């Protein structure tokens, strides 16, 4: 292989990362050990909420009610089951009252009330329609950590049989606490599933056990480092427990992607006879640049979630950006150091020798891609380009068709139905939904501030009671200049009627300031916040992605193609999410309860993650196409060569990442299951459909115009652009038919 002069900074970087490889690995080992200590217990400090907009009207009203009227915001429930007896039976009532008195004496518990103590107007909502169950409600105080500690302390003494009654624990605090515990358990199980399967797949891809261990090492460093960063962030801001799943999935998946790309390029260089140090230098100048660009594109997609106010989404940005950059840093610093030390031993324990018959081979120079594999991808590219209109139109039509179910999406809130059907808090909330009148806990609260007379309160109550979607109105409960009304909507707590009622209540005239909260109000405000920021987030992703891909390719058309085709690759994921998780198809097979809606923030999260991963694979393919086009000037040969050299790599990386995401998707929490399985589908569709069929078809249709750019932009790229090739610049003449010496001369001149 003929080398060309590289920019000084590249040479300096190569010398930096390979000068003292043992010292680099020792420093990494020490830092990883410190990260283990710093990140210990991170899951216990993460929250299980974060879906609401902190600046919304509903959030303000909720906090004001918690402060002024703590009894109005119960978050802890005891479901008292009298069996075959009535809850009005004297023995049942006496035992329930004793339980309520005990609960009121517990530290960290306020606002205890029950069916047996409530006013007649409110008692009906706390008693099941069959008369055999009733509720004790209370509020646990403090932040999520404090409420969790209170829950752990008091639940064992209240759960179970007490005389004539059986008690189960529910309420939003119990739901979130149980969700947090299940996520931690499921994450451990996912790691147990994913790590050995990933190792087996890596051995199959590399054929070498030594080479297969390198990506796992990079992934572990990235995951542990990110946990330490998240632990530090919890000192300053709220971080969602769900983010830890993304840390594991992306840390392992991207480490595999980056290590696959670098190790394979390194082994290719060794197979040409290059010495290990030279091979590492060439790898960093080529595949290393691609990994850097790939990491930046993924980080940009994830950074867009910082524009949204919900800390659920912001948490994924914190975790995602950290793990992407750590995975890239480890791949560009630690991996080259390890490769220098291993040298030709990277091919040690080469399992492919077992299958080589009748031909000599040297394990030290075993190429990473078989001729058969490369030929198959080359034939695929040739077939697709010969029938480019058919593949372009047909693939697009299929993807659009798969995405059609998303047109019927309904947005909702995360509730107990995220949990397994047999989870205690889910059982309690399901009993309440099905057996209690008016869906207690699903009402709307109207906070009135500024003071008013009794007559003004009464007149306002009549006006809101006359609204068409109101079932009943209770209150007001007055304290100083503040008061609140409870409005029970007809139908389900977050259906279209309830959301419409939120707007009607906010538009109702009142002689005082009013703020509306409740489950439906939080949903309305969350949807409004996402709708307001979504165009800015989409524009941010598109503009920065266009810029990065232009710097990589020097083309005006390729960045536009990349953004459009990546977005198209997500249609199947969004269609499947609605068809499966909203409409409930396959719910029995996958083991979840469909709430009939999709949590509002999930599509945003899945778009940002899946788009970033799609760009990851897109950069891998485009960089190799660009390298070949710079060397030959032959557009179709460049596309064919790019798919030949990266098709197997991208497919292997996608399958491994899909395995990790499916392991995450085995979670018993529906949102995590949706995230894992949805991203797995998107990754496979992108690698096997978009990169294999649609990209070569579209690039064949656009022809040499694919590489066009106006003069000022060409000069901009020549000055600031980078590519996987040893040198960026204008395309060279087609030298496919020339001898090796001639080709080397042309390449060197470029």
């Amino acid at each position: 292989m003929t080398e060309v002069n590289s920019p000084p900074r590249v040479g300096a970087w190569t010398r930096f990362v390979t000068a003292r490889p043992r010292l680099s690995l020792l420093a990494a080992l020490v830092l990883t050990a410190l990260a283990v200590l710093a990140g210990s217990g991170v899951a216990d400090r993460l929250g299980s909420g974060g879906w609401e907009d902190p600046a919304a009207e509903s959030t303000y009203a909720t906090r004001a009610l918690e402060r002024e009227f703590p009894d109005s915001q119960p978050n802890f429930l005891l479901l008292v089951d009298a069996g075959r007896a009535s809850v009005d039976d004297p023995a049942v009532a006496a035992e329930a009252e004793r339980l309520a008195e005990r609960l009121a004496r517990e530290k960290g518990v306020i606002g205890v009330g029950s069916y047996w103590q409530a006013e007649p107007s409110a008692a009906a909502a706390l008693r099941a329609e069959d008369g055999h169950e009733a509720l004790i409600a209370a509020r646990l105080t403090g932040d999520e950590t404090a409420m969790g500690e209170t829950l752990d302390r008091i639940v064992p003494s209240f759960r179970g049989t007490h005389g004539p009654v059986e008690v189960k624990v529910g309420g939003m605090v119990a739901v979130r606490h149980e969700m947090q515990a299940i996520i931690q358990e499921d994450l451990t199980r996912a790691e147990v599933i994913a790590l050995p399967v990933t190792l087996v797949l890596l051995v199959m891809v590399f054929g070498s056990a030594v080479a297969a261990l390198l990506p796992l090492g990079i992934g572990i460093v990235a995951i542990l480092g990110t946990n330490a960063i998240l632990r530090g962030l919890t000192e300053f801001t709220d971080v969602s427990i769900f983010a830890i799943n993304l840390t594991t999935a992306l840390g392992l998946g991207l480490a595999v992607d980056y290590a696959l790309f670098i190790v394979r390029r390194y082994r290719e260089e060794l197979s040409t006879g290059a010495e290990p140090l030279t091979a590492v230098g060439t790898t960093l100048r080529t595949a290393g640049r691609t990994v850097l660009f790939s990491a930046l594109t993924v980080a940009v997609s994830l950074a867009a979630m910082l524009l949204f106010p919900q800390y659920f989404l912001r948490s994924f940005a914190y975790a995602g950006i950290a793990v992407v950059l750590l995975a890239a840093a480890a791949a560009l610093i630690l991996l080259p150091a390890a490769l220098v030390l291993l040298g030709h031993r990277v091919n040690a324990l080469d399992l492919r020798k077992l299958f080589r018959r009748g031909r000599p081979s040297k394990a030290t120079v075993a190429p990473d891609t078989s001729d058969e594999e490369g030929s198959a991808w080359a034939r695929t590219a040739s077939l697709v380009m010969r029938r480019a209109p058919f593949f372009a139109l047909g693939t697009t039509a299929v993807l659009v068709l798969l995405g059609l179910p998303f047109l019927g999406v309904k947005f909702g809130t995360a509730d107990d139905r995220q949990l397994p059907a047999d989870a205690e808090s889910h059982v309690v909330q399901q009993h309440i939904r099905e057996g209690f009148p008016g869906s207690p806990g699903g009402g709307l609260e109207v906070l009135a501030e500024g003071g008013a007379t009794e007559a003004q309160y009464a007149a306002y109550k009549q006006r809101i009671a006359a609204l068409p979607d109101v079932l009943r109105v209770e209150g007001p409960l007055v304290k100083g200049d503040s008061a609140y009304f409870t409005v029970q909507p007809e139908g389900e707590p977050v259906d279209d009627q309830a959301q419409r009622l939120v707007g009607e209540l906010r538009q109702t005239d009142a002689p005082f300031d009013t703020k509306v909260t409740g489950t439906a109000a939080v949903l309305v405000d969350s949807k409004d916040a996402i709708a307001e920021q979504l165009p800015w987030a989409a524009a941010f992703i598109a503009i920065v992605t266009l810029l990065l891909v232009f710097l990589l390719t020097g083309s005006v058309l390729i960045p536009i193609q990349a953004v459009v085709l990546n977005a198209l690759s997500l249609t199947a994921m969004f269609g499947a999410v609605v068809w499966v998780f909203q409409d409930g198809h396959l719910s029995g097979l996958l083991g979840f309860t469909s709430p009939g809606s999709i949590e509002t923030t999930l599509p945003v999260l899945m778009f940002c993650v899946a788009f970033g991963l799609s760009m990851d694979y897109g950069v891998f393919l485009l960089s190799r196409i660009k390298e070949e086009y710079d060397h030959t000037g032959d557009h179709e040969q460049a596309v064919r060569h790019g798919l030949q050299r990266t098709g197997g790599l991208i497919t292997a990386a996608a399958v491994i990442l899909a395995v990790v995401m499916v392991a995450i998707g085995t979670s018993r929490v529906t949102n995590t299951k949706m995230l894992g399985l949805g991203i797995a589908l998107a990754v496979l569709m992108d690698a096997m459909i978009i990169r294999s069929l649609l990209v070569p078809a579209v690039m064949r249709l656009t022809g040499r115009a694919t590489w066009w750019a106006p003069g000022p932009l060409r000069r901009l790229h020549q000055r600031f652009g980078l590519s996987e090739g040893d040198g960026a610049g204008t395309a060279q003449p087609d030298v496919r038919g020339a001898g090796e010496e001639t080709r080397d001369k042309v390449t060197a001149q470029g």
Side-chain angles (χ1 to χ4, degrees), residues 61 100 150 292 300 355 380 412 444 451 471 479 482 542 553 598 668 699:
T150 301
L292 178 61
V300 163
F355 303 100
T380 298
L444 298 169
L471 181 63
K479 181 180 179 182
S482 300
T553 64
I598 302 298
R668 293 165 290 169
M699 294 190 78

Side-chain angles (χ1 to χ4, degrees), residues 265 281-291 627 723-726:
R265 187 60 183 253
T282 304
T283 299
L284 285 177
R285 289 198 305 273
T286 56
R289 291 173 176 176
T290 302
V291 166
E627 178 184 5
S723 71
E724 184 177 318
D726 290 335

Side-chain angles (χ1 to χ4, degrees), residues 78-98:
L78 296 179
L79 178 67
V80 180
D81 186 351
R84 295 184 178 181
S86 168
V87 293
D88 296 315
D89 183 276
V92 172
E95 185 60 37
E97 289 175 1
R98 281 194 292 270

Side-chain angles (χ1 to χ4, degrees), residues 285-309:
R285 289 198 305 273
T286 56
R289 291 173 176 176
T290 302
V291 166
L292 178 61
F293 267 85
S294 173
L296 290 176
T297 56
V298 177
V300 163
S301 295
L302 297 172
M305 288 186 283
L306 292 173
L307 298 176
F308 296 92

Side-chain angles (χ1 to χ4, degrees), residues 312-337:
F312 174 80
L313 288 175
R314 297 173 71 88
S315 299
F316 283 93
Y318 304 146
I321 294 172
V323 78
V324 168
L325 296 183
L326 285 174
L332 295 175
I333 298 174
L334 303 183
L335 190 53

Side-chain angles (χ1 to χ4, degrees), residues 364-428:
T364 56
V365 294
D368 214 19
T369 305
S370 67
D371 293 338
E372 293 80 4
E373 179 188 1
S375 298
W377 284 106
R379 288 194 299 271
T380 298
S382 297
L383 172 63
V384 170
M385 288 191 288
R386 281 199 306 271
R387 301 286 186 269
F390 169 78
F391 280 101
L393 294 176
T395 303
T396 301
V398 170
L399 291 173
V400 171
L401 183 64
L402 292 175
L404 288 180
F406 192 71
L407 296 177
V409 65
K410 297 178 182 178
F411 294 109
T413 57
D415 58 21
D416 60 282
R417 285 169 289 191
Q418 295 287 318
L419 295 171
D422 58 352
E424 182 180 12
S425 56
H426 175 52
V427 171
V428 169

Side-chain angles (χ1 to χ4, degrees), residues 68-246:
E68 301 295 335
F69 305 97
D71 294 359
S72 70
Q73 298 285 300
N75 55 17
F76 179 69
L77 299 175
L78 296 179
L79 178 67
V80 180
D81 186 351
R84 295 184 178 181
S86 168
V87 293
D88 296 315
D89 183 276
V92 172
E95 185 60 37
E97 289 175 1
R98 281 194 292 270
L99 288 170
E101 291 172 1
R102 278 182 51 202
L103 184 60
R105 292 194 296 268
E106 294 285 351
K107 181 181 178 181
V109 181
I110 61 174
V112 177
S114 72
Y115 160 73
W116 298 272
Q117 301 165 328
E119 296 292 331
S121 59
L126 300 174
R127 179 179 183 272
E129 293 175 337
D130 63 7
H132 299 304
E133 295 175 330
L135 295 172
I136 299 173
R139 178 164 191 81
L140 306 190
T141 60
D143 57 19
E144 288 196 29
T145 301
M147 287 189 289
E149 292 172 351
T150 301
L151 204 64
D152 289 335
R153 187 183 73 250
I154 67 176
V155 163
S157 62
F158 285 92
R159 175 190 289 135
T161 302
H162 297 267
V165 301
E166 183 78 17
V167 177
K168 293 186 177 67
V169 176
M172 187 51 64
V173 170
V175 169
R176 291 185 173 181
H177 191 66
E178 197 163 5
M179 188 181 298
Q180 192 171 23
I182 290 175
I183 287 175
Q184 293 184 48
E185 294 173 4
D186 291 348
L187 183 60
T188 301
R189 187 180 70 248
E191 291 171 345
V192 170
I193 295 171
L195 286 174
V197 175
T198 299
L199 180 59
V200 170
L201 291 174
L202 286 170
V203 170
M204 293 172 63
V205 171
F206 283 124
S208 164
V210 172
L213 289 171
L214 294 175
L216 287 184
I218 299 299
I220 290 171
V221 169
I223 292 169
L224 295 177
T226 302
N227 285 342
I229 291 173
L230 292 180
R231 175 62 179 80
L233 285 173
T234 59
E235 298 291 336
F236 307 100
T237 187
D238 293 318
V239 180
S240 172
I241 183 68
F242 288 95
I244 202 167
N245 292 289
L246 187 69

Side-chain angles (χ1 to χ4, degrees), residues 265-576:
R265 187 60 183 253
Y266 173 73
R267 297 176 80 183
E268 286 179 12
E269 297 301 323
L270 288 183
S271 70
T272 67
E275 291 301 315
L277 189 59
T278 303
V280 167
T282 304
T283 299
L284 285 177
R285 289 198 305 273
T286 56
R289 291 173 176 176
T290 302
V291 166
L292 178 61
F293 267 85
S294 173
L296 290 176
T297 56
V298 177
V300 163
S301 295
L302 297 172
M305 288 186 283
L306 292 173
L307 298 176
F308 296 92
Q310 294 91 338
Y311 88 73
F312 174 80
L313 288 175
R314 297 173 71 88
S315 299
F316 283 93
Y318 304 146
I321 294 172
V323 78
V324 168
L325 296 183
L326 285 174
L332 295 175
I333 298 174
L334 303 183
L335 190 53
L339 292 175
V340 168
L341 290 177
L342 286 171
H344 293 291
R345 288 172 295 176
V346 72
N347 295 314
L349 302 179
D350 190 350
L351 304 181
R352 286 177 179 154
K353 291 191 296 182
L354 298 176
F355 303 100
R356 294 189 185 118
R357 297 179 180 178
R359 56 177 181 177
S361 64
K362 296 181 180 179
T364 56
V365 294
D368 214 19
T369 305
S370 67
D371 293 338
E372 293 80 4
E373 179 188 1
S375 298
W377 284 106
R379 288 194 299 271
T380 298
S382 297
L383 172 63
V384 170
M385 288 191 288
R386 281 199 306 271
R387 301 286 186 269
F390 169 78
F391 280 101
L393 294 176
T395 303
T396 301
V398 170
L399 291 173
V400 171
L401 183 64
L402 292 175
L404 288 180
F406 192 71
L407 296 177
V409 65
K410 297 178 182 178
F411 294 109
T413 57
D415 58 21
D416 60 282
R417 285 169 289 191
Q418 295 287 318
L419 295 171
D422 58 352
E424 182 180 12
S425 56
H426 175 52
V427 171
V428 169
Q429 300 302 127
Q430 192 67 24
H431 273 251
I432 293 172
R433 258 191 303 273
E434 296 175 351
F436 285 70
S439 298
L444 298 169
E445 286 85 30
V446 181
L447 173 67
E449 295 181 306
T453 64
E454 184 176 339
Q456 288 174 318
Y457 283 135
Y460 177 72
K461 181 176 181 178
Q462 289 180 351
R463 284 197 293 275
I464 59 177
L467 294 174
D469 297 315
V470 172
L471 181 63
R472 65 173 182 273
V473 181
E474 298 172 1
L477 184 62
V478 182
K479 181 180 179 182
D481 289 339
S482 300
Y484 82 92
F485 301 81
T486 300
V487 181
Q488 190 65 49
E490 296 180 348
E492 292 295 320
V494 293
D495 63 9
D496 292 339
Q497 282 182 299
Q499 294 180 55
R500 184 168 57 248
L501 180 57
V502 171
E504 294 169 350
L505 289 171
R506 289 174 173 172
Q507 294 172 4
T508 301
D509 292 333
F512 37 74
D513 292 332
T514 61
K515 301 285 190 299
V516 180
T517 188
T519 306
V522 170
L523 174 58
V524 168
D525 290 340
S526 181
K527 288 167 63 176
D528 290 344
I530 289 176
E532 181 180 352
Q533 296 300 321
L534 191 59
W536 295 103
F540 172 76
I541 292 174
I543 292 171
V544 180
T545 300
L546 289 171
L547 177 61
L548 288 173
V549 178
F550 168 76
L551 290 176
L552 180 67
T553 64
S555 162
V556 170
L557 189 57
I558 289 179
I560 297 172
Q561 288 179 355
V563 170
V564 173
L565 296 185
N566 281 6
L568 187 61
S569 72
L570 308 184
T571 54
M573 175 186 71
F574 284 125

